[in-house]
Amino acid sequence: QVQLVESGGGLVQAGGSLRLSCAASGRTFSNYAMGWFRQAPGKEREFLAAITWSGGNTRYADSVKGRFTISRDNAKNTVYLQMNSLKPEDTAVYSCAAGWAPVVSGTSYDYWGRGTQVTVSS
């Protein structure tokens, strides 16, 4: 089992920045690829970014490419999502997930955090 806990969400004005953290415990964090997803009310879950176990490779959704950056610190068992130039449409619950590959499909991830709310005001 891997337990994931997100933090760093909150209220920010459009154009601002936030850094989300996802702390892992349980099985060896460095064995897993990690992903970030979000879900807004009434919308489907959306893939944002993923990173390989080593941090050597990343992938992003077009909607956040150039604005969001995923990174990880295996010594701290933590993955991050740096979010810049935030827009009101970025408002959602943001969740991290652990799996065996940095893929887009959420169903491929085995473990999920409960999420953290991000609200971007206009």
Side-chain angles (χ1 to χ4, degrees):
Q1 292 286 336
V2 175
Q3 292 77 44
L4 302 173
V5 179
E6 301 92 341
S7 62
L11 174 64
V12 63
Q13 289 188 334
S17 299
L18 282 175
R19 188 177 81 156
L20 305 183
S21 299
C22 171
S25 60
R27 290 188 174 180
T28 305
F29 173 73
S30 59
N31 287 346
Y32 293 91
M34 298 296 296
W36 282 99
F37 293 78
R38 69 186 178 190
Q39 188 164 20
K43 294 188 176 181
E44 294 187 353
R45 183 173 59 197
E46 178 187 10
F47 167 81
L48 300 175
I51 189 167
T52 54
W53 66 271
S54 67
N57 286 289
T58 57
R59 64 188 306 177
Y60 295 91
D62 288 342
S63 59
V64 304
K65 197 174 296 182
R67 298 191 300 126
F68 290 10
T69 302
I70 189 171
S71 62
R72 68 189 296 163
D73 185 340
N74 286 342
K76 295 183 178 180
N77 289 350
T78 302
V79 63
Y80 305 97
L81 186 68
Q82 176 67 43
M83 306 187 295
N84 299 328
S85 302
L86 283 162
K87 307 173 183 179
E89 51 264 43
D90 293 319
T91 296
V93 174
Y94 285 67
S95 299
C96 62
W100 294 111
V103 297
V104 172
S105 173
T107 59
S108 297
Y109 291 82
D110 298 314
Y111 304 101
W112 290 83
R114 291 188 175 184
T116 184
Q117 176 70 45
V118 171
T119 303
V120 184
S121 63
S122 57

